[in-house]
Each structure stands twice: as C-alpha cells, then as structure tokens.
Amino acid sequence: MDNQEVAIDVEAQIENNNDDRTLPFSIFKKANLPITLKFENVVYTVKVKEPKSWLSQTKVKTEEMTILKGINGIVKPGEILAMLGPSGSGKTSLLTALGGRISEGKGKLTGNISYNNKPFSKGVKRATGFVTQDDALYPHLTVTETLVFTALLRLPNSFKKQEKIKQAEAVVTELGLDRCKNTIIGEPFLRGVSGGERKRVSIGQEILINPSLLFLDEPTSGLDSTTAQRIVSILWELARGGRTVVTTIHQPSSRLFYMFDKILLLSEGNPIYFGLGSNAMDYFGSVGYSPSVERINPSDFLLDIANGVGSDELQRPEALKEALVAVYKTTLLDNVINDLKGQDGHCTQSIESLGDSKHFGDWPTTWWQQFCVLSERGLKHRRHDSFSGLKIGQVFVVSFLCGLLWWKTDLSHLQDQIGLLFFVSSFWAFFPLFQQIFTFPEERRMLEKERSSGMYRLSSYFMSRIVGDLPMELILPTIFLIITYWMAGLNPKPANFLLTLLVLLAHVLVSGGLGLALGALVMDQKTATTLGSVMMLTFLLAGGYYVRHVPVFIAWIKYVSISYYTYKLLILGQYTENEWYPCGENGNSKCHVGDFEGIKLIGFHSGLASSFALAAMLVGYRVVAYFALMRIGKTKAG
C-alpha cells in the first residue's frame, strides 16, 4: 500500500467512526470565521547568560541564541499542520510565537505572522485555542466541573448560564468522557483520570469557544497509539469544520503521520521541509536522501535526517544538516513564498469585526461574574486543603498546649502573661505566612494559561483568592484565641477579649499578605520560604520582647516590623497604664503596669498610629502582590 492509499484509508476510517451528532451544541460545527495563518521569515532570538561561580571574578557573559532561523509557511482553514523535529529544534517556540504567546521581555521575535493578512489582535486571541503540553488543570475538580467552570468563564453572555452548562456537558459527551465525568482530574500522587482522558479535557477546554485557530503542543505525548489516534481523530474532525489546526508532535505512528495535511520539519531552528505530508518521503528521495529500508515509519526517517543521521554512515551529522538546509532553500523555499503571496486574495475576511462582536468582546463576562465563578471554583478546589484535619488539628493542639502551660496566669505573673502575648503574635506570624506564601507559585501554570487566553481579569482572580481564603484565615485564629484566652486567665472583660481578637485577626491578615507578596514576587517556593523566614525572624527580634535596648543605628527595623505593632496593640488590649499588679519579693507591694520593665519601653502611647501602620501593611502587601502578578501571562497582544 503506497502513501496515498494509506492517507485515503485513514480518512475513510475516521468518517466511518463519526456517528450522527444531534446534541444541541456540537463541538464539530463550523468555525465562526475561517482564518488563514501565514508566517514569513520568522526569527526568534533569546539572550542566554552563562552560569557564574561565586568564586569566579569574571563578569557574567550574555550570549544571543537564535532559536528560529527564518521559518516560512501557510496553513489554511480545514488543514492540520504538524511540526516535527528533534528535541530542541524550536517546535514549541514556533508554536508559541504563532499562537501569540511570546511573553514580553522573553526574547526578540522578528518576521511577519498574520491572520487573514492582519496582525495578532484581541479578536484573534479570543478566536484562538491553545493546548499546552503540561495540561495545567486543577487536580481536585472533576472532569465536568473543570469544563463547566471553563464554559462559565470563556463563553460570552450571549449564552445563558444553563446554555453554557449544556455546552460543557455536550463537550464531555462528544469527547467520550461520559465514563469519567464525575472523576477528579488527579495528579501524580492523587488517583484521577487517565493520561488520554486528561488530554481530552485540556482540548475540551479550548474547543468550548468554537475556536477558529487551534494550537496544540505535543497532544499525544506519553499516550499509547490507540489513545493518540483518538486525539488526532478529534483534531481531524475539528479541522474539517473549517478550523486551522497547528500542532507539534514528537514521533507519530505512520497512521497518525498521514492524517496531517502539512508537515513542517525543523532541525536546530532551520526548516528542512514544508509541504504536504504525503509528499515528504518522495521529496527527500528526489534530493538523494532515501531510507535504507523499504518499510519504515515516515516520522522515524524524518527525525533521523533532522538529527543528521542518514543512510551514508560516513557523512558527518553537521554536514548532513547543512546540506538539507541548503537543499530546502534551493528547491522548496521559492514554492513556499509563492504560495504565501498567492493567498493574498483568499483571506480577506476581517477579524476586527470578530474582536468587536458579542462573541469576542474585550472580556467574555463581567467582572462580577468572573469573581463569583472563580470564588466558587477556588472553594471547591481548595476545600480539601483549607479544611484539612491536619491543619485544624495543629491549631487545636497548640491552643490547648498554650492554655495548659499558662493555666490561669494572673497579674502576679505579669512577665508570663506578656510572654504568652508575644508567643501568640509569633505563632500567628509564621502560620499564615507559610500558608499564603505558596498560593501563587502553586497556581503559576494555571494563571499563565488562563491569563494568556484572556479568560478573566487579573483583578477578579486576585480578589476571588483574597476573599476565598478569608474563612480559614479568620476561623482558625478565632478558635485558637477562644481556647487559649480563657484557659490562660487573661483579662476576662468582653471588651478586652474582642479587642485582642481584632488585633490578632488583623495580624493574621497582614502576615498572610506578606506571604502573598513574597510568593508573587519570587514565584519560587523554596526561595520565598527562606526569604519569608528571614524577614519574619527579623521582625520578631525587633518586636520589643527579646531585645529592649536596641542600638540606634538599627532601631528603625521596628517601624517596619509586623510583630512590633501587634505586640504593642495586644498589650494595650490587656492592660491600662495605671493598672496595679502585685510586685516586690513576696508580692506584697503594688506597682503600676506601665512601670513594668517589659512593658515600659513599649509604652501605652501611639496605639492609633500602630493601628494605622497595620492597616497600611494590610493593604500595601496585597497591592505589591497584585502588581507582581501583572507580569504573569502577559503577552504582546495584551
């Protein structure tokens, strides 16, 4: 059976497997607007810094590396372009560039990439689906929940809520996910759906919006041949609906190879073949590079020559690569350029109207809708963590332990009482800090993916995280204080208890805000944890309990210390300056609390200033976190 017969056989096989679909929202209906993708002389360069040892005295060298070296091509509606090449050949970089996902400051992209002869715009962005290789999904959500939340966020308000849900359910059915629709996605240490089902969920998220352009990065990676064929069959059907499909693929089987309309073969960033997949083997045979055996998987042969491995074992790999690049330029390049120019009159449909339409406005939903959906999704995803028995048990154990250690401590043991107050501020400085410091680093991949697709505003996401975390941020310290406060015998007046609780909750929110800011700034869990520990320990040392006579040149630290202001307000919430307490050797004398050595330097003044300082930190740390997040998922098209 020759190549053409294989291609026809595969096509017939797919069509026979397609049963009639009568669902209200078919994912295989035609695209809203067919888009012709053209890319001309695409060059992508990045700056690479050489690693420097701390013992070395030489300056760090910065070199410019060219990832893509003049790539040309065209993909029309109804076609699938598969980009092949060895690891490091530039496939993902080209896919990212074509999908408008090159982040600002990541590298220099030159050349011309056009969509119906127009540059990348918000309209194109709304009409584009992009499936990443790593499948960024929330592990604790079910398949249906994942797709429903995506539909509620990405489908425009021209759809009613129930219609969006039906659309998601239709995608579940048409992608063959009914069997696992109520199964969680899972992760390496949490059992969930299979790899193929997970990949179909990722594709489903993108085709919910009926995209005109669909980009996929290694959609069959790690899948068995049967599952891989099912994935490519879905892409084949989507393309036949008038969509333009571009995918990278590593080493497809021969059956999959002939399902692709066009092939782009890359070698170290250079194109060495662009054209019909069915013509690839004939082309290399015509230029003197035929496989050494008769029956061979075409993709195996193409990857071999892209790696510089040919039938002539004496030819050096680098020489073969250079020869293939030169042959491409002399035999194929002119044809590709002529094909690009010859399509100018066939792709004149305007995308601007698509960008301004009710289907693809600036944002598909309102700020409030995004906030509500993201809040609900966040609570469902994080309920396993926020309300975990380990976390609740930790708080209960520490609170009862404190209550027992400081059992019924009265004013005759004033030093012990203020020791308890400082311990409370210390414990509730580190606990929320380490809870919140992981928030954004853990969600970075998801945030990059969803922000790049224009799913929601950053402000709606940020506020949903802040508000969604409040219950556990406030409930646990409240339980802690209720237990410890009365067991330890602190001031029993309701007003004093409520003031102490208010100060503690403010302290928790400020410490959590510091964690959010550090996590967003550093985006690395280990680094952020180390930095947070050093900063909080510095704040504790300057808090006024351990060191009372701080040298002038370093005394300024207390004015930026969360612990200093919290400790002062906790003391103000318990005592008054002229309150008496038993003193002397036998406790027979009476002294003013304001004269106690551990409190005197803290003082009973500036309570309002301390409150304003905590309020400023409460807002300030979150503002820093928000602006730090603005760089995540930001592309040149907004």
Side-chain angles (χ1 to χ4, degrees), residues 386-387 391-392 395-396 428 431 468-483 501 504-505 508-509:
S386 297
F387 299 95
K391 188 180 295 183
I392 295 172
V395 171
F396 270 95
W428 287 105
F431 190 88
D469 289 338
L470 282 179
M472 285 307 291
E473 277 192 286
L474 301 181
I475 290 173
L476 288 181
T478 301
I479 294 172
F480 173 91
L481 192 66
I482 289 173
I483 295 172
L501 177 61
L504 179 60
L505 295 181
V508 167
L509 293 177

Side-chain angles (χ1 to χ4, degrees), residues 27-42:
I27 63 174
F28 300 109
K29 63 185 179 182
K30 288 192 175 182
N32 290 323
L33 174 65
I35 294 178
T36 298
L37 170 65
K38 297 197 295 185
F39 43 102
E40 304 171 67
N41 197 29
V42 175

Side-chain angles (χ1 to χ4, degrees), residues 162-233:
Q162 286 304 315
E163 289 177 332
K164 293 181 181 182
I165 294 173
K166 286 181 180 178
Q167 175 81 321
E169 292 171 347
V171 169
V172 169
T173 299
E174 295 197 27
L175 291 180
L177 295 169
D178 279 318
R179 186 177 62 86
C180 62
K181 65 181 181 180
N182 296 320
T183 305
I184 62 172
I185 299 297
E187 54 186 348
F189 298 103
L190 179 67
R191 187 178 179 83
V193 297
S194 67
E197 291 165 340
R198 184 185 180 93
K199 181 60 68 176
R200 277 181 278 162
V201 172
S202 293
I203 295 173
Q205 284 187 305
E206 300 304 317
I207 62 179
L208 270 168
I209 62 169
N210 189 23
S212 298
L213 276 167
L214 184 60
F215 297 93
L216 305 99
D217 192 10
E218 301 277 4
T220 61
S221 178
L223 304 180
D224 61 82
S225 60
T226 304
T227 306
Q229 185 176 6
R230 178 180 292 181
I231 296 294
V232 178
S233 297

Side-chain angles (χ1 to χ4, degrees), residues 565 568-569 605-615:
Y565 296 115
K568 176 188 280 289
L569 290 173
H605 58 282
S606 305
L608 191 60
S610 298
S611 301
F612 278 124
L614 283 183

Side-chain angles (χ1 to χ4, degrees), residues 574-589:
Q574 285 297 304
Y575 316 107
T576 59
E577 187 173 10
N578 296 321
E579 185 178 357
W580 298 100
Y581 75 96
C583 60
E585 291 185 4
N586 299 319
N588 296 325
S589 304

Side-chain angles (χ1 to χ4, degrees), residues 328-374:
Y328 170 82
K329 289 180 179 179
T330 57
T331 59
L332 278 182
L333 183 57
D334 288 341
N335 294 335
V336 175
I337 292 175
N338 290 333
D339 197 15
L340 284 167
K341 293 179 179 178
Q343 290 296 319
D344 286 345
H346 299 280
C347 49
T348 57
Q349 289 179 281
S350 175
I351 298 178
E352 298 306 317
S353 59
L354 184 65
D356 296 334
S357 72
K358 61 183 180 180
H359 292 287
F360 297 102
D362 279 349
W363 299 102
T365 52
T366 65
W367 188 95
W368 180 250
Q369 286 175 314
Q370 293 170 8
F371 171 79
C372 292
V373 174
L374 289 169

